[in-house]
Amino acid sequence: MKVLIQKDYDNMSEWAARHIIDAINSHKEARPYVLGLPTGSSPIGVYQRLVAANKRGEVSFRNVVTFNMDEYVGLPRTHHESYWYFMHDNLFDHIDIPKENINILNGLAEDPEEECRRYEEKIASYGGIDLFMGGSGVDGHIAFNEPFTSLNSRTGLRSLTEDTRIVNARFFDNDPEQVPKQALSVGVATVTDAREVLLLISGHNKARALAHCVEGGVSQQWTISALQMHENAVIVCDEAACGELKVDSYRYFKDVYRDEIL
Ligand code: GLP
């Protein structure tokens, strides 16, 4: 697992955006480049840079297909905090991606199981995901795969923990009761099936999660730790997120990946 410790949120975002732009531009096959995408505050800086690069003509999303990680159950698309709304507001409405190339789980689906099955099938129909970008919850969850979700899990219905609803309450008038109790989410294995996984981890509040992910064992308690079993996983983080790493690990990553630090 590669861990790139950037100075701050801006440099983390810059490295990740550049990486995605390069990956799309070097994709020479006729089939679309398939991107898995997260929501949350972590990817906003990346999305801003992708929008700017698209407007400058440095990258096009015409041959890119996207699959989002998750969606709250019960929120209509028009709800400000639905992930559908977030993705259009922060990315899709500002780039040249064809609307039919955008895939987001439908949190209002009458048959959630069928919706999740269909999602996995659609990912497979494109030959899988080339690059899955993700974030991490403070408890080390990836997508909405809370602690103790199987590391072999596939797309399905998830219950959010009280902790996650409290953390996410900042987007819902600081009222955890307004945060939906359930979500549809890709599974841990849906993420690790991707040919490459890129995690963004920023800020002091993610320090425990980062340490468990990098230095702990592979454990369903910290679902992001599944990345240790992936051959092509990159964590790009900032200095603030490194507070719980051992000095030795911190020095190691700063040393071996020094050429990739902005
Ligand atoms: C939610 C999302 C995750 C995201 C996490 C962290 O729980 N389901 O995909 O990684 O929030 O969000 P943030 O980046 O705002 O810290």
Side-chain angles (χ1 to χ4, degrees), residues 39-43 69-70 83 135-137 141 143-144 164 168 170 206:
T39 52
S41 34
S42 306
M69 285 191 142
D70 43 18
Y83 286 168
S136 170
H141 69 242
F144 268 128
T164 292
N168 288 4
R170 68 192 191 282
K206 303 286 173 70

Side-chain angles (χ1 to χ4, degrees), residues 14-242:
E14 182 65 29
W15 188 93
R18 187 45 54 197
H19 185 73
I20 293 170
I21 292 166
D22 290 346
I24 293 172
N25 286 340
S26 52
H27 178 76
K28 300 294 178 213
E29 297 168 43
R31 70 166 183 92
Y33 188 77
V34 186
L35 262 182
L37 295 174
T39 52
S41 34
S42 306
I44 288 178
V46 178
Y47 293 155
Q48 287 168 344
R49 286 164 174 80
L50 294 180
V51 169
N54 184 235
K55 291 202 187 313
R56 289 194 301 266
E58 289 173 18
V59 66
S60 169
F61 294 85
R62 292 214 160 277
N63 196 32
V64 172
V65 166
T66 63
F67 285 89
N68 261 84
M69 285 191 142
D70 43 18
E71 178 59 285
Y72 287 116
V73 165
L75 296 189
R77 289 174 168 189
T78 47
H79 192 289
H80 230 251
E81 296 308 330
S82 78
Y83 286 168
W84 193 97
Y85 190 98
F86 174 98
M87 289 306 300
H88 285 76
D89 195 33
N90 285 287
L91 184 66
F92 298 141
D93 284 349
H94 314 287
I95 59 174
D96 62 348
I97 188 165
K99 295 294 169 219
E100 61 274 19
N101 288 12
I102 298 167
N103 296 283
I104 302 179
L105 284 155
N106 178 7
L108 292 178
E110 273 182 31
D111 185 344
E113 276 188 26
E114 176 56 26
E115 169 70 2
C116 295
R117 211 174 11 253
R118 191 195 58 78
Y119 207 65
E120 287 276 342
E121 281 170 11
K122 198 159 182 198
I123 292 172
S125 77
Y126 283 104
I129 291 178
D130 289 296
L131 169 59
F132 219 133
M133 177 163 75
S136 170
V138 292
D139 57 3
H141 69 242
I142 185 158
F144 268 128
N145 297 294
E146 300 280 29
F148 307 109
T149 304
S150 165
L151 302 185
N152 279 326
S153 53
R154 313 296 322 192
T155 305
L157 183 64
R158 303 284 190 270
S159 295
L160 309 194
T161 62
E162 201 54 39
D163 284 351
T164 292
R165 293 178 67 225
I166 290 169
V167 172
N168 288 4
R170 68 192 191 282
F171 301 117
F172 292 84
D173 302 330
N174 288 318
D175 176 9
E177 276 310 305
Q178 287 184 37
V179 182
K181 292 187 167 68
Q182 290 183 310
L184 302 185
S185 173
V186 296
V188 179
T190 318
V191 176
T192 54
D193 266 2
R195 287 181 267 283
E196 181 179 4
V197 182
L198 167 62
L199 276 201
L200 307 167
I201 305 191
S202 162
H204 295 284
N205 60 338
K206 303 286 173 70
R208 256 183 100 215
L210 180 66
H212 279 277
C213 175
V214 173
E215 295 171 338
V218 175
S219 161
Q220 60 182 354
Q221 194 176 353
W222 300 85
T223 54
I224 51 170
S225 67
L227 260 66
Q228 290 182 25
M229 302 298 288
H230 198 284
E231 277 188 315
N232 197 9
V234 185
I235 292 179
V236 55
C237 62
D238 59 10
E239 293 279 350
C242 294

